[in-house]
């Protein structure tokens, strides 16, 4: 099985979404990436519409793993598509492998061809169409999953790591004698 | 039928006695009752009459999501469980909020909620796989801790299932047993874990592969941006040599490793702390990760009660931050150019109690055991443990043989005691499994509840000793919570007075969904005349109404209300459903839900003014951290004014026919009139 790592910016893979290690930013497992992904593409949320896959760590809550399409340079999903260039398409300039849903016949060959486990191509069982990450190629702000990640634990593979959180600047004049006691409690 | 946005359109009724499953259209209840707790109230009113007890098969577990759940609207992952509560004293209808991922998954399976009734003949769990609902034997699950139950269900049904489960406490009908999901996310209030147990129901697990469609995706995304600011910071692992908590700062030999986490599907914040690699007594590795928010740290240390700054409760336009931002440490520094800053940041230190010294491992183990057994931490950490510490110091517990020397600061003793309680071992195990309210009455309240602890000292009054009873009982069988005395007692009178009204008209501790908020202008106005003015009752009503909306649409108490964004709830609701409601219409809907809840308490449990006023007087007769006690005469005026503003009769505390009819509840008024429970 091939894994996502932020060091996968090699010739085998195109530009893609990476999950940063917890030393940079730990995923909180909120599913916002999946939700906004489905919303911006389909106008609905739901597991079969997501193009990014969060595997939650139910109990320990620390090892949430985000699986994403790597936009493989050798694009086996594209090669397997019987309607290639109509359904599964290449944006060679941007290195994006994307699906034109209008022409997808729902044969799932692209899913079978995906070299990753779990698969990085989803299937919309209602519409009988394959769905996969297109890096929000037509979206002005870029990938919605990155834009709406509350803790910036994902990013584009060719972008620099996000900065650490700012250290809160002390206000002018301390408001009280014990800052630690200000933590609100439920 | 018109297309519903936000909702998915079906509520599943599951009869555990017969195994029958039927479908109720959600449109029977919406938009009038909005969702969440609003629908719970309506179903309970329609279906459960007086005389039913918490553990009777006729009691129902009503689980509801809101129209925001699963849509991506911030904090829509919150959901509600309601029914007759075994933890309430006396038993009565109540509810509990819960985050987690179950609610969203249930909607993806096609259900807005569940009504679970009857009692399974055998130990069972419910398996919901999209439109297929099965009741399966739970032999493999019975006896497992809450975490292991969830992991076992993932092993059986696949990694993607989301589960609501009970631990051994719920199985053994411990009255403060929770319904749990994920790690430490739980419906804690009410003891609904024991209701699960009484129905032979160990868990509900769901896999949903469908969709939820909000009415306005662009509005959803705008709300995520608006409610996310000023965050979007990274969340790196933080390692420190000391543990810092509310009023706590002490070295930890092995260091403290933590990140922030979140507690529900689609949340746009990350306020809880997740402590990594802490001591475990339930895992073979001896280590576990433990979520901690408000109560948890007090098992680690309780020398001082936690402090309070008015900015936690009151806001100005320049200093207005939701609690989640304060909790996650991402809040912007105070704006001290604000003329209100001296009032907003006037720190109120917590009273000194000297209950137990810091012990990181002990505290984490107690937290873990509560989570794994499925016990309400409020009853254990905030009520049982302080009672043991204070009672022991006062010599009240000398006659109690708990099988070990009583010492709540001892990990071994607490493990021993929790084991006794959860498995109902012996007289005392059974006694405390009934919850603190009942246990203390059984032992004798005068001695075991009302004895004064001599070790409470107010920092606000230069160390002056103040009276407080050894039992932190607030009302309805729940412990103190931002009541101006007892746990989180440092809040001042402008805050605890409206909170007192909220507690009075509730059936449980209402603070987890009604953390009080208002403007700095309110605080100033209230101080002019605490008991006779209208500022306090108006503030209570505003917060109660907002709480109704939070748990109906649904959203989180840690983000809302925003007193400078009064249309927030309407905007969230409209983004989900496409139904446009003004702020006033939303408030009317909230009043409808509150008055229906009131009608349930009146019809089923005989709620009256006298009953609820007497319920809240005892705790508030002790001084707050500033030395103030409740002015009982003034309080009666305050209650008069509150009732008048609500449209309730001042003599009985019952809503008038006019009030019910104004809110579209004529049939409720008719039914109450028929049984003589409408005011003359």
């Amino acid at each position: 099985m091939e894994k996502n790592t932020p060091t996968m910016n090699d010739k085998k893979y195109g530009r893609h979404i990476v999950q940063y290690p917890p030393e940079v930013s730990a995923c909180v497992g909120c599913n916002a990436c999946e939700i906004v992904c489905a919303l911006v593409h389909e106008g609905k949320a739901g597991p079969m519409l997501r193009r990014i896959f969060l595997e939650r760590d139910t109990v320990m809550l620390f090892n949430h793993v985000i699986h994403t399409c790597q936009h493989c340079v050798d694009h086996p999903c594209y090669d397997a598509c019987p309607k290639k260039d109509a359904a599964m398409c290449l944006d060679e300039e941007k290195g994006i492998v994307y699906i034109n849903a209008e022409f997808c016949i729902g044969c799932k060959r692209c899913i079978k061809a995906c070299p990753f486990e779990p698969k990085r191509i989803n299937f919309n069982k209602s519409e009988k169409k394959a769905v996969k990450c297109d890096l929000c190629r037509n979206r002005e702000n870029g990938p919605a999953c990155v834009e709406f990640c509350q803790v910036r634990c994902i990013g584009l593979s060719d972008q620099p790591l996000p900065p650490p959180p700012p250290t809160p600047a002390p206000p002018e004049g301390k408001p009280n004698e014990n800052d630690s006691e200000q933590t609100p409690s439920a | 039928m018109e297309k519903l946005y936000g909702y998915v359109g079906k509520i599943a009724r599951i009869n555990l006695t017969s195994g029958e499953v039927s479908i109720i259209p959600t449109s029977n209840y919406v938009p009038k009752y909005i969702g969440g707790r609003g629908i719970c109230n309506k179903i309970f009113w329609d279906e459960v009459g007086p005389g039913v007890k918490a553990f009777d098969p006729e009691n129902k577990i009503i689980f509801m999501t809101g129209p925001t759940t699963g849509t991506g609207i911030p904090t829509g992952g919150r959901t509600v469980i309601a029914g007759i509560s075994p933890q309430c004293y006396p038993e009565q209808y109540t509810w509990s909020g819960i985050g987690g991922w179950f609610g969203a998954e249930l909607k993806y399976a096609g259900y807005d909620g569940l009504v679970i009734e009857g009692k399974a003949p055998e130990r069972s769990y419910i398996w919901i796989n999209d439109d297929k609902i099965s009741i399966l034997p739970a032999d493999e699950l019975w006896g497992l801790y809450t975490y292991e139950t969830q992991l076992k269900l993932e092993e059986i049904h696949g990694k993607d299932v989301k589960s609501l489960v009970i631990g051994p406490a719920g199985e053994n009908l411990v009255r403060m047993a929770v319904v749990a999901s994920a790690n430490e996310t739980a419906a804690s209030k009410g003891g609904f874990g024991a209701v699960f147990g009484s129905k032979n129901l160990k868990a509900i697990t769901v896999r949903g592969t469908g969709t939820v469609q909000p009415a306005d995706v662009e509005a959803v995304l705008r709300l995520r941006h608006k409610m996310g600011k000023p965050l979007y910071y990274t969340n790196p692992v933080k390692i420190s040599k000391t543990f810092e908590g509310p009023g706590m700062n002490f070295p930890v030999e092995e260091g403290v490793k933590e990140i922030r986490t979140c507690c529900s599907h689609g949340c746009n914040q990350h306020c809880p702390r997740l402590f990594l690699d802490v001591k475990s007594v339930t895992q073979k590795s001896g280590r576990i990760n433990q979520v901690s928010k408000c109560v948890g740290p007090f098992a680690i240390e309780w020398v001082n009660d936690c402090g309070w700054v008015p900015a936690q409760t009151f806001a100005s336009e320049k200093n207005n931050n939701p609690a989640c931002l304060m909790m996650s440490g991402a809040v912007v520094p105070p704006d001290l150019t604000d003329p209100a800053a001296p009032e907003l940041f006037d720190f109120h230190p917590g009273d000194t109690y000297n209950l137990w010294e810091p012990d990181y491992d002990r505290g984490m183990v107690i937290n873990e055991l509560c989570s794994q057994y499925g016990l309400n931490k409020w009853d254990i950490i905030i009520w049982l443990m302080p009672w043991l510490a204070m009672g022991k110091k006062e010599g009240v517990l000398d006659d109690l043989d708990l099988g070990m020397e009583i010492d709540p600061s001892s990990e071994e003793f607490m493990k021993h005691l929790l084991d006794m309680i959860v498995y109902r071992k012996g007289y005392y195990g059974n006694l405390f499994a009934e919850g603190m309210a009942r246990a203390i009455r059984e032992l004798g309240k005068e001695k075991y509840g009302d004895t004064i602890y001599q070790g409470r000292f107010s920092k606000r009054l230069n160390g002056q000793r103040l009276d407080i009873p050894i039992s932190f009982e607030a009302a309805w069988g729940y412990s103190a919570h931002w009541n101006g005395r007892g746990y989180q007692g440092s809040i001042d009178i402008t805050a605890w007075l409206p909170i007192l009204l909220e507690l009075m008209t509730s059936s449980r501790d209402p603070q987890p969904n009604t953390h009080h908020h208002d403007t700095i202008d309110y605080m100033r106005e209230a101080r002019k005349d605490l008991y006779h003015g209208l500022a306090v009752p108006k503030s209570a009503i505003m917060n109660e109404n907002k709480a109704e909306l939070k748990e109906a649409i649904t959203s989180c108490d840690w983000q809302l209300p925003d007193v400078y964004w009064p249309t927030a709830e309407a905007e969230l609701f409209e983004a989900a459903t496409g139904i446009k409601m003004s702020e006033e219409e939303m408030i009317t809907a909230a009043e409808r839900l509150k008055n229906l809840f009131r009608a349930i308490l009146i019809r089923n449990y005989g709620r009256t003014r006298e009953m609820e006023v007497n319920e809240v007087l005892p705790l508030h007769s002790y001084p707050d951290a500033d030395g103030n006690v409740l002015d009982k005469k003034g309080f009666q005026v305050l209650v008069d004014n509150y009732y008048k503003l609500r449209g309730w009769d001042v003599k009985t505390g019952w809503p008038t026919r006019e009030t019910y009819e104004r809110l579209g509840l004529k049939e409720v008024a008719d039914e109450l009139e028929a049984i003589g429970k409408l005011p003359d």
Side-chain angles (χ1 to χ4, degrees):
Chain A
M1 172 185 154
E2 303 200 40
K3 293 179 180 174
N4 265 350
T5 76
T7 58
M8 279 183 126
N9 191 17
D10 59 28
K11 290 177 183 170
K12 200 172 170 187
Y13 305 105
R15 199 163 170 255
H16 60 275
I17 304 295
V18 292
Q19 179 183 6
Y20 302 129
E23 293 73 25
V24 174
S25 188
C27 173
V28 296
C30 68
N31 297 79
C33 53
E34 292 185 344
I35 299 166
V36 296
C37 172
L39 287 178
V40 301
H41 285 96
E42 309 278 353
K44 299 176 184 176
M48 68 179 172
L49 302 180
R50 59 191 168 157
R51 283 99 163 128
I52 184 168
F53 307 89
L54 169 65
E55 190 178 324
R56 294 198 76 254
D57 179 4
T58 306
V59 168
M60 299 298 263
L61 301 183
F62 185 62
N63 294 311
H64 305 302
V65 181
I66 295 170
H67 303 289
T68 63
C69 170
Q70 307 290 295
H71 294 275
C72 304
V73 171
D74 62 355
H75 42 65
C77 55
Y78 168 82
D79 293 343
C81 177
K83 297 281 181 186
K84 63 172 68 72
D85 296 325
M88 190 68 80
C89 302
L90 298 178
D91 179 339
E92 299 209 31
E93 189 187 336
K94 294 179 182 169
I96 297 172
V97 188
Y98 67 96
I99 294 172
N100 187 347
E102 188 185 346
F103 297 102
C104 177
I105 57 171
C107 69
K108 299 188 182 175
R109 287 184 201 176
C110 57
I111 298 175
K112 286 183 194 134
C114 176
F116 290 92
E117 193 60 49
K119 301 294 185 185
R120 310 303 160 86
I121 303 177
N122 207 346
F123 191 72
N124 179 343
K125 63 181 181 181
S126 299
E127 305 289 330
K128 296 193 169 33
K129 307 272 185 192
V131 291
K132 77 175 287 296
C133 172
D134 62 358
L135 290 180
C136 293
R137 56 192 286 272
N138 296 321
R139 194 167 179 274
E140 196 178 333
N141 288 355
C145 56
V146 175
E147 181 182 345
F148 287 95
C149 174
Q150 192 66 28
V151 291
R152 302 188 69 184
C153 73
I154 53 175
L156 279 161
S157 55
D158 63 351
Q159 296 295 307
L161 295 174
T167 305
E172 291 176 22
K174 215 171 171 186
N176 63 66
E177 292 177 356
N178 188 342
D179 278 336
S180 70
E181 294 198 30
Q182 275 196 49
T183 308
S185 295
Chain B
M1 189 181 76
E2 269 185 55
K3 178 171 172 56
L4 287 175
Y5 291 95
Y7 309 100
V8 290
K10 292 183 298 185
I11 296 166
R13 183 189 296 281
I14 303 169
N15 188 306
L16 293 171
T17 307
S18 66
E20 285 175 46
V21 176
S22 56
I23 298 298
I24 313 165
T26 308
S27 57
N28 286 3
Y29 304 108
V30 300
K32 186 172 181 180
Y33 299 99
I34 299 182
R37 186 149 66 95
I39 297 181
C40 294
N41 289 355
K42 175 60 175 162
I43 291 174
F44 191 89
W45 170 262
D46 288 344
E47 301 186 9
V48 186
V52 180
K53 305 294 287 181
F55 296 145
D56 290 347
E58 292 77 16
N59 189 14
K60 304 198 181 195
I61 298 165
I62 309 171
F63 176 89
M64 285 303 308
T65 64
T68 63
T69 308
T71 63
I73 291 173
T75 73
R78 301 293 309 177
T79 55
V80 178
I81 296 178
I84 302 169
S85 155
Q87 188 180 353
C88 287
Y89 184 83
E91 286 185 0
Q92 54 195 311
Y93 175 71
T94 203
W95 80 97
S96 187
I98 178 171
W101 281 255
F102 179 88
E105 194 76 15
L106 185 71
K107 283 183 77 171
Y108 296 142
Y111 307 100
D112 289 308
L114 305 170
V115 180
I116 298 166
E117 51 198 27
K119 177 180 180 178
E122 308 288 343
R123 294 168 174 177
S124 305
Y125 71 100
I126 297 171
W127 162 226
I128 303 171
N129 185 10
D130 283 330
D131 56 353
K132 298 183 190 69
I133 298 181
S134 322
I135 301 169
L136 301 175
D139 299 332
E140 273 188 282
L141 304 173
W142 211 263
L144 295 181
Y145 293 131
T146 59
Y147 299 165
E148 279 65 28
T149 305
Q150 294 175 83
L151 296 174
K152 187 71 184 173
L153 286 163
E154 290 181 5
E155 192 184 311
I156 297 169
H157 296 291
K159 181 78 182 75
D160 289 330
V161 299
K162 307 292 186 294
S163 306
L164 291 181
V165 306
I166 61 169
E171 295 171 9
N172 296 318
L173 310 192
V174 174
R175 283 184 182 265
M176 59 286 194
V178 308
V179 177
S181 190
N183 174 326
E184 222 255 353
T185 298
S188 289
K189 302 289 179 187
F192 291 111
V195 181
F196 269 53
S198 75
K199 294 183 178 303
N200 271 333
L201 181 63
K202 174 70 176 177
I204 312 170
T205 194
V206 60
R207 174 65 179 139
T209 61
T211 60
V212 181
Q213 184 172 13
D216 186 343
V217 170
E218 288 307 315
V220 174
L221 299 180
R222 278 198 306 276
L223 286 165
R224 288 200 76 84
H225 271 314
K226 179 167 183 170
M227 296 171 78
K229 285 177 181 173
L231 283 179
Y232 297 100
Y233 296 150
T234 53
N235 181 36
V237 176
K238 180 181 161 193
I239 298 171
S240 42
K241 292 178 180 171
T242 57
F243 175 82
E244 290 187 29
M248 305 166 195
N249 189 331
F250 59 87
V252 175
E253 199 175 333
E254 293 178 10
V256 175
K257 196 174 163 189
E258 64 177 300
I259 59 167
R260 298 287 171 176
T261 188
C262 76
C263 75
S264 65
H265 178 267
C267 186
N268 59 319
Q269 297 292 347
H270 46 284
C271 44
R273 300 167 79 175
L274 177 68
F275 293 96
L276 305 173
D277 200 28
V278 300
K279 183 177 179 181
S280 165
V281 292
T282 70
Q283 304 296 301
K284 280 183 189 161
S285 65
R287 313 303 291 178
I288 199 167
N289 297 341
Q290 177 67 48
V291 176
S292 184
K293 207 164 179 182
C294 44
V295 171
F298 285 85
I300 298 170
E301 179 196 322
W302 198 328
V303 173
N304 298 305
D305 185 23
C306 69
W308 174 73
V309 283
Q312 288 170 228
T313 304
F314 304 122
S316 67
E317 288 191 62
K318 285 188 169 184
N319 283 291
N320 177 27
N321 290 291
C324 48
L325 288 192
M326 291 194 254
M327 195 74 175
S328 67
V331 68
V332 294
D335 181 347
L336 298 182
T337 65
D338 181 355
E343 291 164 274
L344 288 173
F345 298 101
D346 170 28
F347 180 58
H348 290 225
D351 294 340
T352 297
Y353 278 87
N354 289 318
L355 300 184
W356 45 82
E357 295 295 316
D359 184 333
Y360 189 64
D361 284 349
R362 179 221 34 235
M364 288 300 176
V365 165
I366 291 169
N367 275 280
E368 179 197 21
L369 285 174
C370 287
S371 296
Q372 285 279 54
Y373 285 141
L375 283 169
N376 182 350
K377 290 180 182 176
W378 283 88
D379 221 59
I380 302 300
I381 299 172
I382 304 304
W383 200 346
L384 171 65
M385 287 177 65
W387 175 77
L388 289 168
M390 292 186 285
K392 184 180 177 185
K393 286 185 181 178
E394 298 306 327
V396 171
L397 310 182
D398 293 349
D399 296 338
L400 265 58
D401 180 4
L402 300 185
M404 274 181 78
E405 184 189 346
I406 293 174
D407 182 5
S409 70
S410 154
E411 181 183 315
E412 286 310 308
F413 171 76
M414 284 308 300
K415 279 160 57 180
H416 164 78
L417 181 59
L418 293 178
D419 175 73
M420 279 174 63
I421 293 171
V422 168
Y423 297 101
R424 288 184 171 270
K425 292 180 179 172
Y427 171 76
Y428 288 109
N430 266 299
L431 180 74
F432 292 113
E434 291 296 297
M436 286 302 289
R438 289 171 174 80
I440 284 171
R441 282 164 178 78
E442 174 70 20
L443 288 167
K445 187 168 179 294
E446 190 176 345
K447 174 181 175 184
Y448 290 93
D450 300 340
T451 295
I452 298 299
Y453 177 54
Q454 304 291 324
R456 175 196 178 197
F457 302 97
S458 166
K459 289 182 184 168
R460 293 276 289 173
L461 299 174
N462 298 315
Q464 182 183 328
R465 193 192 71 75
L466 295 173
D467 281 356
I468 192 78
I470 59 172
S471 168
F472 280 172
E473 179 165 356
W476 312 120
Y478 294 84
S479 61
H481 186 182
W482 291 125
N483 297 115
R485 57 279 285 159
Y487 176 61
Q488 296 182 328
S490 53
I491 196 164
D492 91 349
I493 193 167
T494 59
W496 66 252
L497 262 185
I499 288 172
L500 170 57
L501 291 171
E502 292 153 19
L503 175 67
M504 182 185 82
T505 63
S506 186
S507 57
R508 47 157 260 198
D509 162 19
Q511 283 303 289
N513 82 323
T514 324
H515 275 98
H516 198 83
H517 294 285
D518 214 320
T519 62
I520 187 74
D521 294 333
Y522 153 78
M523 191 170 90
R524 293 165 179 157
E525 184 64 25
R527 282 202 175 126
K528 289 179 189 168
D529 192 340
L530 288 162
Y531 293 98
H532 303 89
L534 295 182
V536 169
K538 280 184 175 174
S539 186
I541 289 169
M542 183 271 283
N543 277 271
E544 287 175 335
N545 287 340
K546 293 288 188 181
E548 295 290 342
L549 295 177
K550 269 180 277 190
E551 286 186 327
I553 57 176
T554 50
S555 63
C556 182
D557 190 52
W558 286 74
Q559 285 212 342
L560 295 174
D562 179 337
V563 292
Y564 291 101
W565 184 22
T567 57
E569 295 80 4
E571 290 180 43
L572 268 60
F573 182 67
E574 185 179 354
T577 64
I579 299 169
K580 191 168 181 58
M581 288 173 77
S582 65
E583 184 192 349
E584 290 71 27
E585 287 169 322
M586 288 302 283
I587 293 302
T588 300
E591 286 185 273
R592 180 180 304 122
L593 307 187
K594 176 73 177 177
N595 278 271
L596 185 55
F597 178 73
R598 185 83 177 161
I600 292 169
L601 298 184
I602 291 166
R603 183 191 67 181
N604 289 26
Y605 310 105
R607 180 65 69 94
T608 61
R609 172 181 178 138
E610 185 184 12
M611 181 192 291
E612 62 187 16
V613 166
N614 289 341
E615 180 72 16
V616 295
L617 287 180
L619 179 69
H620 297 83
S621 303
Y622 298 99
D624 71 5
D626 292 309
N628 298 308
V629 295
L630 182 72
D631 170 355
K632 289 180 185 171
K633 207 170 161 186
F635 182 55
Q636 295 294 345
V637 178
L638 189 59
V639 173
D640 282 349
N641 287 333
Y642 172 90
Y643 284 165
K644 285 175 190 167
L645 289 167
R646 274 277 183 211
W648 298 354
D649 173 52
V650 295
K651 186 178 165 197
T652 57
W654 296 342
T656 62
R657 172 173 282 283
E658 186 187 0
T659 298
Y660 286 123
E661 292 194 356
R662 178 176 68 82
L663 300 170
L665 298 172
K666 179 180 178 303
E667 74 285 1
V668 172
D670 292 344
E671 186 171 336
L672 289 169
E673 186 171 38
I675 57 172
K677 291 193 172 178
L678 266 193
D680 297 332

